[in-house]
Amino acid sequence: MSEPREPDADAGVFRALADPTRRQILEDLRGAGELAAGEIAGRFAISAPSISRHLGVLKGAGLVAERRDGNRILYSLVEDRLATSVGRFLSAVCPEQIVLRHTTWKKDA
């Protein structure tokens, strides 16, 4: 069996990013560096098994890595995977590769 083509691999990333809970998990991991599954679950008003499923989707997409620390599983963001997948998409859609590095957001009045 052949290895998945890059677009197919990137599709998993975008499916994972489609859910707001998973996006929030990624943001939390970005800020914290590494979090235990229980710490992640404590940040949401949904069940621990639901968070576990979300983490499984993120891990399957290659967006998070896990490591064991005693009886805990610690999760961290795989920044390169996220940047590569999103960057490849943006390069395809915006071939000029215009990148806005500084954006000022105005507060709603």
Side-chain angles (χ1 to χ4, degrees), residues 6 10 79-90:
E6 287 302 323
D10 288 345
E79 293 178 13
D80 289 350
R81 173 75 171 127
L82 180 59
T84 300
S85 295
V86 173
R88 191 176 0 259
F89 172 74
L90 291 175

Side-chain angles (χ1 to χ4, degrees), residues 35-73:
L35 291 170
E39 292 172 307
I40 295 169
R43 295 169 178 241
F44 295 91
I46 59 176
S47 70
S50 291
I51 291 296
S52 184
R53 283 190 292 279
H54 284 300
L55 288 167
V57 170
L58 291 168
K59 185 179 171 196
L63 295 173
V64 298
E66 67 177 32
R67 74 175 182 87
R68 284 214 170 264
D69 180 33
N71 64 348
R72 299 181 332 151
I73 299 175

Side-chain angles (χ1 to χ4, degrees), residues 16-28 58:
L17 293 174
D19 185 276
T21 298
R22 291 193 287 267
R23 291 193 306 269
Q24 185 61 53
I25 290 170
L26 294 175
E27 286 184 42
D28 290 352
L58 291 168

